[in-house]
Amino acid sequence: ALAIWFHDAVYDAKRADNEIESASWATRSLVQCGASGESAQRVHDLVMATAHDARVDTWSRLDMQLLVDIDLSILGATDDRFDEYDEDVAKEYAWVPPAEYRQGRSKVLKKFLVMEHLYKTVAARDMLEDAARLNLSRALARLAA
């Protein structure tokens, strides 16, 4: 639960260190509140998993699988909700020149689309995978238009 709260606690679309800053804040806060080093490290690791670049062997932890699936659940939302999210992302990056945004956003979306499984848990795959792949494909088509 703490990892969910600290996930994206630090968020600036112009920075690339949001996860590490959020994870560091979580660690400092938990230690200051008297949490064990082990607990603080666990929350740190969970927040870092939301960077979506962790090695495959880390996905053996169910807590990481669940947190990452929660983080990516928006990709499998209804068409309307996903489109709203996609528009919000574009607004966050309005400072990026349009051609550069389309190229960068396409790269991010393609990274997810080429994954064998977007979701780590079977339950999330069953509920969200097909819709997520359709949403990602639609978003990529819009970016290419």
Side-chain angles (χ1 to χ4, degrees), residues 3 6-8 16-24 26-27 41-55 58-59 64 67-68 71:
F6 274 101
H7 160 253
D8 284 343
D17 62 351
N18 292 310
E19 285 86 4
I20 190 65
E21 290 299 318
S22 295
S24 296
T27 301
Q41 184 64 50
R42 182 175 178 196
V43 171
H44 180 277
D45 293 348
L46 286 165
V47 172
M48 288 305 298
T50 65
H52 305 288
D53 58 4
R55 293 187 336 262
T58 63
W59 300 127
M64 279 191 182
L67 184 62
V68 171
D71 188 38

Side-chain angles (χ1 to χ4, degrees), residues 7 13 15 23 30 36 41 53 63 66 70 77 95 98 101 121 136:
H7 160 253
R15 296 179 58 145
L30 292 171
S36 69
Q41 184 64 50
D53 58 4
D63 54 356
L66 291 170
I70 291 166
W95 55 273
Y101 172 79
T121 64
L136 290 168

